[in-house]
Amino acid sequence: MKRVCRLFVYGTLQPQAGTRMGQWIAARLIRSEPASAPGRIFAVRGGNGWFPALLPPRGGKHVVGTLCWLSLGPGELALLDRYEGCEYRRVAAPVRTMEGQREVAQLYLWHTTLPHDVEAIADGDFLAWLRRTRRSAFSTPRNGT
């Protein structure tokens, strides 16, 4: 039985990110819209590219992303949790759509120590940062999820 999950994504999970997991999310989309969430974002180098780490807000900072309504089958949310790994914790958090609508959605918050070589993303937009810096998003290998 499928269930609807509201998930705020701000990096490689965004449907428009061009990654395998972004495509996985896109295949389960009911609808999506641009949104933001309180927090600070950092770029972390890993494997074959970069991925974001979202930390709690400090000083009114916001992270830009996509609010997704997903149709998920049994075990698919747990699959996302495994993909995100032990560095992230899924939490319910306030999200605001670009039209000003407030929602509560699940999002992945970084909860371990940041690596020493991260880069802060001042404007809170990971995909725009990738374009500006001409860097590539981390993507799972072909045999991954």
Side-chain angles (χ1 to χ4, degrees):
M1 177 167 196
K2 298 225 178 212
R3 69 177 202 172
V4 175
C5 174
R6 278 187 305 236
L7 181 67
F8 175 75
V9 291
Y10 51 88
T12 62
L13 294 181
Q14 290 186 80
Q16 68 274 28
T19 63
R20 286 196 67 187
M21 286 308 285
Q23 293 167 358
W24 188 91
I25 293 285
R28 289 152 180 81
L29 265 183
I30 297 169
R31 72 175 217 183
S32 67
E33 62 184 285
S36 66
R40 299 170 291 140
I41 193 168
F42 297 84
V44 179
R45 181 188 289 270
N48 61 357
W50 294 81
F51 58 91
L54 172 63
L55 275 68
R58 192 180 294 159
K61 297 271 186 180
H62 284 81
V63 172
V64 175
T66 306
L67 178 57
C68 300
W69 284 259
L70 302 174
S71 177
L72 297 178
E76 289 186 320
L77 194 54
L79 182 123
L80 272 174
D81 291 344
R82 282 192 307 277
Y83 172 78
E84 288 298 317
C86 62
E87 295 91 1
Y88 294 91
R89 180 174 34 119
R90 184 169 40 86
V91 299
V95 175
R96 185 181 295 260
T97 67
M98 292 305 152
E99 288 80 38
Q101 182 71 30
R102 291 177 188 238
E103 299 278 352
V104 173
Q106 301 290 306
L107 60 75
Y108 287 98
L109 191 64
W110 187 269
H111 79 105
T112 63
T113 303
L114 282 172
H116 70 281
D117 59 348
V118 300
E119 294 190 31
I121 302 175
D123 68 358
D125 190 332
F126 178 74
L127 296 183
W129 177 84
L130 287 175
R131 287 188 299 273
R132 273 193 316 273
T133 62
R134 295 192 167 127
R135 294 186 178 153
S136 299
F138 171 85
S139 189
T140 54
R142 279 282 175 224
N143 60 358
T145 301

